[in-house]
Amino acid sequence: MTSREALARMRELKVPAVTTSEAASVLGQSPGTASRMLTRLADAHLIRRAAHGVWWLDSRTPSALDMVETLAAPFAAYVSLHTALYIHGMIEQIPVVTYAVTLGRTHRTRISSGVVSFHHLAPELFGGAERDKNGVPVATPEKALVDFAWLSGTRSRLFSATPELSLPKRFDRRAVEPWMERLKSPKTRAQLERAWSRLVGSRPRRPAE
């Protein structure tokens, strides 16, 4: 199999990036053989090495946002917290890393386009993201704040300070309550509601019946 044949087969997956193991499976090769094939493609500037064991197939230059789902695999993930708040114009300071939440473990990954900081989110609170024009899943303004409030109750100091927020005109406080209701423990829910109040200065509104 030639390098270009391998590239064509990987691009049939219709995904912007692959891991070495994914490429090996698609190409029917061992991981070592696939790694050497991918390295040749990168040396020929036909693909890019985005991170250790991760390869960017798309023609446009990848950003850290583009890599969130691939880096988190096999666990789901989406952009949230400081990064989503900045994208939605809710905070002014540009985050120095890209923040995401995941069903996997909390960790940081350095890639060619920056650093992605992943933070574990309780399964019952996972969701509330919409895909942008590049297909990147980004938390809605309301959900980004719910995620921030939830993580402010953890041991991490990253979320202990309340950011200065500018809520968008279309910010819907009623969209928050359904997420609160997912928490079955009254104690846990009360903790999240208190954290939410510290962020926005009021309790979430209940949706209209």
Side-chain angles (χ1 to χ4, degrees), residues 105-178:
R105 63 182 178 84
T106 295
H107 67 286
R108 281 193 172 200
T109 301
R110 181 173 294 279
I111 58 178
S112 59
S113 52
V115 176
V116 182
S117 182
F118 291 98
H119 298 271
H120 175 76
L121 195 65
E124 57 267 40
L125 289 179
F126 191 86
E130 298 175 348
R131 294 191 180 274
D132 67 10
K133 64 180 181 180
N134 291 323
V136 177
V138 180
T140 63
E142 297 83 5
K143 189 52 171 47
L145 273 185
V146 171
D147 294 347
F148 194 103
W150 172 262
L151 289 168
S152 70
T154 66
R155 295 179 180 180
S156 175
R157 294 182 179 181
L158 285 172
F159 310 101
S160 59
T162 302
E164 186 174 339
L165 295 169
S166 176
L167 299 183
K169 292 182 178 180
R170 295 186 178 182
F171 190 85
D172 186 3
R173 296 172 187 263
R174 294 172 298 177
V176 175
E177 182 63 24

Side-chain angles (χ1 to χ4, degrees), residues 9-67:
R9 187 172 296 183
M10 288 187 290
R11 283 182 170 166
E12 288 177 358
L13 296 174
K14 305 297 183 182
V15 295
V18 295
T19 63
T20 301
S21 59
E22 289 170 341
S25 177
V26 170
L27 301 176
Q29 299 175 339
S30 69
T33 300
S35 179
R36 289 189 290 274
M37 175 72 76
L38 292 162
T39 299
R40 288 198 296 273
L41 287 168
D43 290 343
H45 305 291
L46 295 173
I47 65 174
R48 294 180 176 88
R49 187 194 301 268
H52 178 70
V54 179
W55 309 84
W56 182 256
L57 306 178
D58 201 78
S59 58
R60 64 185 176 85
T61 302
S63 69
L65 296 176
D66 293 313
M67 301 305 301

Side-chain angles (χ1 to χ4, degrees), residues 41-101:
L41 287 168
D43 290 343
H45 305 291
L46 295 173
I47 65 174
R48 294 180 176 88
R49 187 194 301 268
H52 178 70
V54 179
W55 309 84
W56 182 256
L57 306 178
D58 201 78
S59 58
R60 64 185 176 85
T61 302
S63 69
L65 296 176
D66 293 313
M67 301 305 301
V68 164
E69 288 186 290
T70 300
L71 294 173
F75 298 100
Y78 58 88
V79 176
S80 189
L81 308 168
H82 309 70
T83 303
L85 294 176
Y86 177 76
I87 289 173
H88 293 303
M90 298 168 68
I91 60 174
E92 293 184 356
Q93 185 173 356
I94 302 174
V96 294
V97 303
T98 297
Y99 287 92
V101 294

